[in-house]
């Protein structure tokens, strides 16, 4: 996982990342492992309370792009 950008603003933090790997092992997204390489983008936004506890998480990644690359 390669974090490309990280931003903090008040009680929110956000990151943008790239994940690279090779699909081996268990099925993923209903597809059997074929040893194919993949690269996808994603991002996370979290809300953090004053005591440091995370209250909310929003997560997005390119599942369709991943599916296309490992099929």
């Amino acid at each position: 996982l390669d974090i490309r950008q990280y931003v903090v603003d008040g009680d929110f933090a956000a990151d943008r990342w790239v994940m690279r790997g090779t699909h081996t092992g268990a099925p993923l997204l209903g597809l059997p492992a074929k040893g194919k390489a993949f690269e996808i983008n994603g991002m996370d936004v979290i809300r953090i309370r004053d005591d440091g506890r995370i209250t909310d998480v929003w997560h997005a990644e390119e599942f369709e792009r991943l599916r296309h690359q490992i099929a």
Side-chain angles (χ1 to χ4, degrees):
L1 187 66
D2 180 16
I3 303 292
R4 296 291 176 98
Q5 191 170 23
Y6 196 78
V7 177
V8 176
D9 185 13
D11 59 347
F12 287 95
D15 59 38
R16 185 176 62 83
W17 48 264
V18 176
M19 182 190 314
R20 294 175 193 86
T22 303
H23 181 207
T24 61
L28 180 61
L29 301 175
L31 299 167
K34 296 180 182 176
K36 292 188 175 185
F38 66 87
E39 178 178 308
I40 62 170
N41 298 294
M43 66 179 297
D44 301 291
V45 177
I46 62 173
R47 183 179 298 164
I48 306 167
R49 294 190 324 205
D50 289 339
D51 64 2
R53 299 193 88 159
I54 295 172
T55 62
D56 299 286
V57 177
W58 298 272
H59 172 84
E61 62 186 79
E62 300 177 307
F63 285 119
E64 192 56 36
R65 184 174 177 208
L66 174 59
R67 182 187 309 275
H68 176 75
Q69 292 178 52
I70 65 174

